[in-house]
Every structure is written in structure tokens, then in C-alpha cells.
Amino acid sequence: MTKQDLSPAEQALRDAALEYHRSPTRGKIAIAPTKPLSNQRDLSLAYSPGVAYACLAIEEDPTLAAEYTSRGNLVGVVTNGTAVLGLGDIGPLAGKPVMEGKGCLFKKFAGIDVFDIELAEKDPEKLIEIIAALEPTLGGVNLEDIKAPECFQIERALKERMKIPVFHDDQHGTAIISGAALLNGLELVGKSLADVKLVASGAGAAAIACLDIMVSLGVRREHIYVVDSRGVIQSEREDARSGRLDASKRAYLQTTSARTLADVVRGADVFLGCSTAGVLTPEMVATMADRPVILALANPEPEIRPELARQAKPDCIVATGRSDYANQVNNVLCFPYIFRGALDCGATRITEEMKLACVREIAALAKAEVSDEVAAAYPGEEISFGPDYIIPKPFDSRLILRIAPAVAQAAVASGVATRPIEDLAAYRQSLSRFVFQTGLVMRPVFTAAKASTSQGGPARVAYAEGEDERVLRAVQVVLDEGLARPTLIGRPAVIEMRIRRAGLRLKLGQDVEVVNPEDDPRFRAYWEDYHGLMGRDGVSPETAKVALRRSNTLIGTMMLRRNDADAMLCGMVGRYDAHLEHVRSVIGLKPGVTGYAAMNALLLDDRTLFVADTFVNDEPSAQQLAEIASMAAEELRRFGLPPKVAFVSHSMFGSSTRPSAKRMRMAAELFKRMEPDIDCEGELQGDAALSETVRRDALPATTLRGEANLLLLPNLDAANILFNVLKVVGSRGVTVGPVLLGAARPVHILTPSATSRRIVNMTALAVADAAAQALRHEG
């Protein structure tokens, strides 16, 4: 598809995607050392002469490679680019962005390092030789985007030759998730695996793998009918009679008079689609058995849209590969965690038992009580096991905690674990280090924002600096994502000029509302209301008029006060305190709250840290610190995170009697009384906040488990300095915030350094806040 063929929305997505891949660092992955290399001794340990000892130890016992090198946590994502996403045979170089993306998912979801390996080779035998020769380097191989039927041959040969896990995700990832969907779907409609008639559209790698695993689950092979591009795979076909039918298809050969999908789908209980858009029509669905389960997995457009399927069969259960429908079959539910378990137990291969263990854990998790983080990400939705919830949500933190141990246990049972895990409970606890440290902290927030938009219409978000090009670029993304209905505060002529200069598609009055500070029909109502608020604080009518003309933030706060907006962002220009003063005078505090505070999040490589109070209170009292912690903890739940709070000090459990140490100690005690169900500790030093080992060495009876994710600092200087230092050295500038805590309405004050990406993030948070506030009012 050429650039000229793209719609304006697709063109904008293309431009944003290319910029995402280009900057600030080219590509999506990098290699970083895991040990210090800061002096001569470090160098002598890392390289000559010290490295020789590790080499000799591995020579003597090859299993020690998992102890002394990264091999035990390193997966190769390997492709030859012959079947890349829906793009086809675009070649290995063009497929590299996809492989890097897969590497990101491995790292973010399960902490697994990846080498992406793109091979310019189509001969299956040569590919097998090349990949097999990489075994000393890799702990596992994830085959990706290799076309059928070669992918079957390659995987089969590599499994036989290599003593590490080899997994073709296009086949088995889709198969595992769809297998879980089938188990739960049939349970809901009261049908037996052994009795159902299953029809598959498509006979490529994914379809055959799905069918194989469904047979392993209990579907009878004689009840399965497969349709490929030449019709039903049946005994009278020329390729079947001549012996040219591929062996993977021959396993599902049927003797039948049916020739087309319409013929064979009649009376079917299950439809499995791994083919192309629109091949299953509503008329076909109408001929299926009662209460059918339809797995329409073609992407980006399924074999049938769920709403069309339900028109034909209102009692059907539908799953697709799309994120905008219920029951998304998403491979990220599986592949990071099956590799996590396989690597940790030193599995020599991924067996059928390991795959089935993964299927059953995913199916069981959908029936478990919904976790707080999932519920928080879908405010107002009833998420429970049923027709619209047969597969867990992709960001359910329990996936790794359930799947990896089950896979490791199945590896032991099937005799392929070289390092069996003796204490599964301890192993499960160790996996918690990957939970909530994925760097994908905004996912639940965006999900909540989009969910609220679909339920009650887009929230109205006012942007005080509506003329700023960063804001305009962010607003374009907000519109494309359907996050909100923006209102730009600024001069229309200036906004129009900057939209043109930036090459954006925004249309004033159509896509966005504009409030012109120099000429708005609400001006009189706003200044009169503002004067009514501030008349006894020295603000005359003339002063009120001038203030409304000069301050876009003041206009935004008045919009919130008069319900002309649901949320507001400001702070891109000017001092934080000046913006906060308008919020203080017009919006006010939440009921029961005595003050404001600010919190920032840092998206570090291996964890997400929230720091408070970074912008508001110079020297907060113990009572203020406890209240700030309580407000911040509530906000963390918006991110789907269980708060773990540390009151940080120079002192360690009473080692200092200085006033600041006593204040932090008292704040922790007050907070524990206010929020007894939240993990908390204090006063303690910074390293102890992030290390349970350090903490327990000082105080075995510590009341905080694992790592803190919310740090309360003794004063504004400490919090702001810590945040800004970590921003540069740890998060490469990837932050969220400042999040304003305590305001009566959803409003956040950003800083002049904010990027368009941060503005989009904060828009999603503001919308999620507005939705939560609306729910509270309804309650």
C-alpha cells in the first residue's frame, strides 16, 4: 500500500508509528550491561583474567552456563520474513520491527531478554542448520512469521536436534489461547468437547496448531471439518487423491459430500476462523447449531463481526483477535509466560503437557474472581465469567503467577526439566518481581479511559495551552484513539496556523471546540461567577474581567466549575504555583481533604516508581504526609497497581532522632492507622524501600512485603530532586505526571518540559479520573 492509498487517519498513524520507531533512540530494543564496569577490578572480573574462571567452569559442567551467563534468560526471536503479520512475504529486513516488538513484549511482560534474528534464507533445510547452530547462544527459540508448511518442518526438526525450548508462536500461541476460549465457551453453553462438530476456516500454521491442541483437549478428530482456499479438505479432492495434500492437512481429511464452508458449517457447534475477513456470513451462522461458539481470529478484520453473528444467533459466544471486542484472543496472554516457566526449570523442549497446562491455567483464570487491577481498569463494567468474558484480560498480573509455575511443573512431569523447581510456592513468590514492573503502567489507565468513553460518550477535556503545538499533536492522538472530546483554549487563528504548520487533521468546531480568550460568549457568565467567588479577596469586577482575559488556566477552571468540561490539563507555560492558585481558588479541595499534593511516576526499566510530594508542600507535617500517601495510594489503583508505601528518610527504623526522621516515623504510623490494608513501612532509607533483604536485615518484623512502589519524601526539595535525577539516569525521560492530588475535580498541572506523549498519558488519566468521579456521584 502506497502512502497515497492511506486515509488521513491511517496516514497519521503511519507518521506517528515511524516517529515512534525513529526517536529518541532508533529501534525499540538495546543491550545494556548488568554488572558494574567502573574500575580496574570490575574489568578484571568481567573480562581477562577473571572471565577465564567462568569459561572453565562451563567447560567442565555445561549446565553452569545458566548460572554464569545470560543464556538461561535469553530467547532468540527468529524469522525469515515470509509471513509477517498480515503483510505476507516482505523479507527478513522489513520484518525486523516486528521482531524487535516481540522482544519488547518478552521483556516487559516476563523479564526475558531477546536477540531478534532475521535470516535471509528460505530453504527450510538451510534454516534448520543455521538456527540449530545458535544453540550455544540461546536459552530458547521463538520462531516467528515463517510461512506454512515450511514452519512445521522447521519446528519439528529443531525440536529433535536442539536441547532448548523451540516454540512457533504463530501456531502454538494462538492455539493455546483459542483452546482456553473453547474450554470456557463450551462450558457456558453446556456442550461436551467429545460431542461437538467443529468447522475450521483456514489450514495454515495457526489453524492446524489450534486443531491439534483442541484434539488434545478432547475434540474428536472425526468431528472436525477444515476448509482451505480450495474448499473442504475431503477425500475426493484432486490433491488428496494424488497424494500432494500436505501432511498437516491430511490429518483432517474427511469423507463428505460437503464442498464449501456454507455446506459444512450447517449444524456446527464451533467455528474456528484463521483465514480472512468476512468469509463467515450471518446466513451461515443462522444454520449453525444452537448456542454456537465462534472463534473468528482473522486480523485485523475477523471472519465475521460479533454484532453480525449475534443478529443471526443471539445465543452465540464470539471471540476475535481484536482489542475493541470482548474475548480477545491475544498471544501475549501466553508466550512470555510459557517461556518464563520453561527457562526457569531448564526445559529442553516445550511439550504438549506444558502447552495444555498453559491452556488450563488461562481458562481457569477467566473463572477466578476478578482482581482489583482488572476491575479498576474497567470502571462500571461487570467483569465476570460469562459469554463476554471467557478469556482473561491481557494485563491481568496473575497470568505470570499462574502460567509459569504450571508450565515448570508440567516440564518436570513430562521429563524435560533439567533444573526442576522444588518449591513452587517460593518460585511463584519470586515471579512477583515481574508484576507491575513492566513499564506498561499506562495500559489500565487507557483501558479505563476508553471504557468510560464507550459507556457514556467521550469526556470533555479542556487544554489551557490550546495554542501549543505539543498540545495540538497530543489532541490529534486523543481524537484518533477516541479518548476524549477536546476543548482548546486559545486564539482560533493561531491554532489554525499551527495545525497547518504541524500537518495535522484537526478541524476546529468539528473535531474540537475552541474557547477564544478574546471573544467567547460565556465571558460575562465566567467573570461574574469568578467575581462572586473572589469578591471578598480583593478581586473587583474589573480585575475579574482582566484575569479571565489573561489566564487560560483560569478559564479552564471556570469551565470545570460550571460543568462546561469534565477535566482539564494546564501548566505547559508558566510557574506551577500560579496554575495551582487558580485551581485552589476556583476548584477547591475534595471533601475530607485538607491540602493538595503532586505525584510523579517514573517508568524505569525494571520497575515503576511513584514519588510524592514533588511540587506543592515545602515541609509537610506528619499528618499531611499520611494524607498525601492515602491520596496517592488511591491514584495508584487507577493504574491497576496495589500500592506499597515507603516513608523514606535518612534514618533507618529509629537510627536518628532528628526532627525529619521523627516526622517520617509518625507519618508512617498515622498512615497505617488510616489505611490498615495497605502495605506500608517507615521510616527507612531509600535502599531499604526497594530491597526486602536490606529491610529484613535491619528489622525482621518489617510490615512491607517486596518492593515499595510509592515513595513519600520528607520535603519538596528531596522529592523533586529525586524525581528529576531518576528521570534522567533511570527512565530516559519517560514519566507520568505531575498528578495533582486533592482537587475536587479532575485537573492536572503539567510542566513546561512535558512532551506530547505525556500530554496524551495525562489526558487518559484525567478521563479515567472523571469516570471514577462520575461513578462515585452515581453511587
Side-chain angles (χ1 to χ4, degrees):
M1 181 180 289
T2 66
K3 186 174 179 179
Q4 290 72 28
D5 294 329
L6 299 175
S7 69
E10 290 170 327
Q11 179 63 49
L13 179 62
R14 173 188 182 275
D15 292 345
L18 293 178
E19 182 62 21
Y20 175 87
H21 283 79
R22 180 185 298 118
S23 64
T25 303
R26 289 173 174 82
K28 298 191 288 285
I29 59 175
I31 296 174
T34 60
K35 302 293 193 299
L37 289 167
S38 54
N39 54 46
Q40 183 60 39
R41 176 163 175 76
D42 288 345
L43 189 59
S44 69
L45 294 172
Y47 202 57
S48 182
V51 71
Y53 297 107
C55 295
L56 292 172
I58 294 169
E59 181 189 29
E60 184 177 339
D61 181 0
T63 65
L64 290 176
E67 292 291 322
Y68 298 138
T69 76
S70 64
R71 182 175 183 262
N73 194 52
L74 182 63
V75 167
V77 175
V78 183
T79 190
N80 66 351
T82 52
V84 179
L85 296 177
L87 305 174
D89 185 356
I90 62 173
L93 185 60
K96 186 175 175 66
V98 178
M99 305 311 120
E100 287 190 357
K102 199 65 174 271
C104 290
L105 296 177
F106 267 111
K107 186 67 174 179
K108 296 298 185 182
F109 282 94
I112 294 171
D113 295 319
V114 163
F115 285 163
D116 65 291
I117 302 169
E118 296 77 26
L119 300 173
E121 181 57 71
K122 292 187 177 181
D123 184 319
E125 293 298 336
K126 291 182 179 178
L127 274 173
I128 291 165
E129 291 298 325
I130 294 167
I131 298 168
L134 294 170
E135 185 168 352
T137 299
L138 304 171
V141 172
N142 185 94
L143 298 173
E144 191 78 17
D145 293 348
I146 300 173
K147 72 180 180 72
E150 288 90 335
C151 59
F152 300 114
Q153 174 189 351
I154 293 166
E155 185 189 36
R156 188 162 51 245
L158 291 175
K159 280 184 172 181
E160 292 172 358
R161 291 182 55 171
M162 302 178 81
K163 300 301 182 185
I164 58 175
V166 178
F167 188 78
H168 186 208
D169 184 48
D170 298 332
Q171 296 179 55
H172 306 300
T174 302
I176 286 167
I177 312 306
S178 60
L182 180 67
L183 281 180
N184 283 343
L186 290 181
E187 179 178 330
L188 285 169
V189 300
K191 295 182 181 182
S192 164
L193 283 161
D195 296 333
V196 295
K197 175 185 177 182
L198 188 154
V199 172
S201 173
I208 297 299
C210 289
L211 294 174
D212 287 348
I213 211 160
M214 289 170 181
V215 169
S216 296
L217 289 170
V219 179
R220 294 170 66 180
R221 196 178 293 269
E222 58 266 31
H223 293 173
I224 296 174
Y225 297 81
V226 182
V227 183
D228 64 8
S229 60
R230 300 177 60 185
V232 176
I233 297 175
Q234 43 80 26
S235 56
E236 297 302 312
R237 273 180 29 166
E238 191 277 331
D239 56 352
R241 287 188 285 108
S242 65
R244 292 198 306 272
L245 185 65
D246 181 77
S248 62
K249 296 183 181 182
R250 183 170 291 278
Y252 295 98
L253 187 68
Q254 287 280 20
T255 300
T256 176
S257 60
R259 295 295 182 265
T260 66
L261 179 60
D263 295 337
V264 79
V265 83
R266 186 178 300 275
D269 300 286
V270 179
F271 171 83
L272 170 66
C274 296
S275 54
T276 191
V279 297
L280 184 67
T281 66
E283 292 75 20
M284 293 180 193
V285 173
T287 70
M288 294 180 72
D290 291 339
R291 307 184 310 282
V293 174
I294 298 172
L295 309 177
L297 308 183
N299 252 328
E301 185 64 29
E303 284 80 2
I304 188 168
R305 289 262 182 163
E307 61 271 21
L308 296 176
R310 291 193 183 99
Q311 286 175 13
K313 283 280 186 182
D315 57 0
C316 70
I317 293 177
V318 187
T320 72
R322 292 174 62 113
S323 61
D324 53 349
Y325 286 109
N327 300 326
Q328 184 193 12
V329 175
N330 187 331
N331 287 9
V332 80
L333 287 166
C334 160
F335 71 81
Y337 315 123
I338 197 168
F339 265 102
R340 182 76 273 160
L343 291 172
D344 289 342
C345 71
T348 56
R349 59 184 301 188
I350 292 176
T351 64
E352 197 70 15
E353 292 84 356
M354 293 161 74
K355 289 187 284 184
L356 291 175
C358 194
V359 170
R360 294 190 175 102
E361 287 299 326
I362 292 169
L365 185 55
K367 292 185 281 188
E369 182 179 345
V370 174
S371 65
D372 290 342
E373 60 267 23
V374 173
Y378 291 84
E381 282 193 38
E382 290 293 329
I383 300 178
S384 59
F385 181 54
D388 287 333
Y389 189 69
I390 60 173
I391 310 172
K393 299 297 183 184
F395 57 83
D396 194 320
S397 64
R398 298 169 296 180
L399 285 162
I400 191 171
L401 302 178
R402 295 185 67 142
I403 293 174
V407 167
Q409 193 171 19
V412 173
S414 50
V416 298
T418 61
R419 299 189 302 276
I421 295 170
E422 302 295 337
D423 189 341
L424 282 172
Y427 174 56
R428 191 173 289 109
Q429 177 63 31
S430 75
L431 291 171
S432 63
R433 70 191 186 277
F434 299 117
V435 177
F436 312 122
Q437 296 173 8
T438 64
L440 301 178
V441 71
M442 288 303 299
R443 285 179 303 154
V445 175
F446 274 87
T447 303
K450 289 186 177 182
S452 69
T453 296
S454 65
Q455 290 165 14
R460 302 163 300 166
V461 178
Y463 298 84
E465 289 83 20
E467 298 175 6
D468 192 295
E469 189 170 309
R470 292 168 295 173
V471 171
L472 296 175
R473 291 187 180 279
V475 165
Q476 185 68 73
V477 175
V478 166
L479 286 169
D480 292 342
E481 293 290 322
L483 287 175
R485 192 163 81 239
T487 297
L488 299 172
I489 304 174
R491 295 162 293 177
V494 175
I495 295 172
E496 289 274 20
M497 179 268 293
R498 289 180 178 166
I499 287 173
R500 287 193 301 272
R501 187 172 67 189
L504 302 174
R505 292 168 285 110
L506 297 174
K507 291 183 173 55
L508 303 190
Q510 179 177 327
D511 299 321
V512 296
E513 181 185 350
V514 177
V515 173
N516 184 355
E518 298 175 348
D519 182 22
D520 188 85
R522 292 167 289 196
F523 176 68
R524 182 183 182 89
Y526 281 7
W527 76 254
E528 287 179 346
D529 196 355
Y530 181 62
H531 175 252
L533 273 175
M534 304 297 293
R536 294 185 178 274
D537 291 291
V539 176
S540 67
E542 285 305 313
T543 304
K545 292 177 186 178
V546 172
L548 262 298
R549 294 285 191 207
R550 288 181 176 173
S551 174
N552 288 9
T553 294
L554 183 54
I555 293 171
T557 58
M558 293 304 300
M559 292 180 70
L560 274 180
R561 173 179 169 80
R562 296 176 62 84
N563 291 317
D564 292 334
D566 301 307
M568 183 188 79
L569 298 182
C570 61
M572 302 286 290
V573 177
R575 295 184 304 110
Y576 189 96
D577 289 347
H579 294 281
L580 180 59
E581 192 52 45
H582 289 311
V583 173
R584 197 190 310 273
S585 61
V586 176
I587 303 299
L589 292 164
K590 286 181 181 177
V593 171
T594 62
Y596 300 94
M599 175 177 71
N600 285 81
L602 294 136
L603 279 59
L604 307 175
D605 286 338
D606 59 350
R607 59 175 58 85
T608 297
L609 277 182
F610 292 78
V611 180
D613 169 22
T614 46
F615 280 95
V616 179
N617 299 283
D618 290 338
E619 294 282 344
S621 67
Q623 289 79 7
Q624 284 178 304
L625 284 164
E627 182 178 84
I628 292 167
S630 181
M631 292 189 295
E634 179 183 355
E635 203 64 40
L636 257 68
R637 294 192 181 97
R638 192 95 63 240
F639 291 87
L641 301 175
K644 291 178 176 286
V645 184
F647 289 83
V648 183
S649 170
H650 72 277
S651 176
M652 185 72 165
F653 298 132
S655 65
S656 170
T657 58
R658 289 176 176 168
S660 66
K662 291 181 177 179
R663 184 157 44 89
M664 298 308 286
R665 192 178 317 152
M666 183 182 298
E669 292 169 359
L670 289 170
F671 179 79
K672 289 175 183 178
R673 291 200 287 269
M674 291 170 60
E675 304 281 3
D677 296 328
I678 296 178
D679 275 9
C680 164
E681 192 55 274
E683 90 286 14
L684 73 169
Q685 293 170 353
D687 57 347
L690 302 180
S691 170
E692 187 166 359
T693 301
V694 172
R695 213 160 48 245
R696 291 196 181 280
D697 284 346
L699 184 70
T702 177
T703 56
L704 175 63
R705 295 166 295 174
E707 296 185 0
N709 55 13
L710 172 57
L711 306 183
L712 276 295
L713 280 295
N715 56 42
L716 186 148
D717 283 345
N720 193 278
I721 291 168
L722 174 65
F723 164 69
N724 279 296
V725 169
L726 287 178
K727 179 175 69 174
V728 174
V729 302
S731 75
R732 297 185 296 274
V734 182
T735 67
V736 179
V739 179
L740 182 62
L741 307 172
R745 298 293 301 276
V747 53
H748 297 293
I749 305 169
L750 306 187
T751 59
S753 64
T755 61
S756 291
R757 178 178 178 182
R758 195 182 308 171
I759 297 166
V760 173
N761 285 341
M762 293 304 294
T763 299
L765 184 60
V767 171
D769 287 341
Q773 189 174 84
L775 280 176
R776 285 196 297 269
H777 289 162
E778 289 173 10

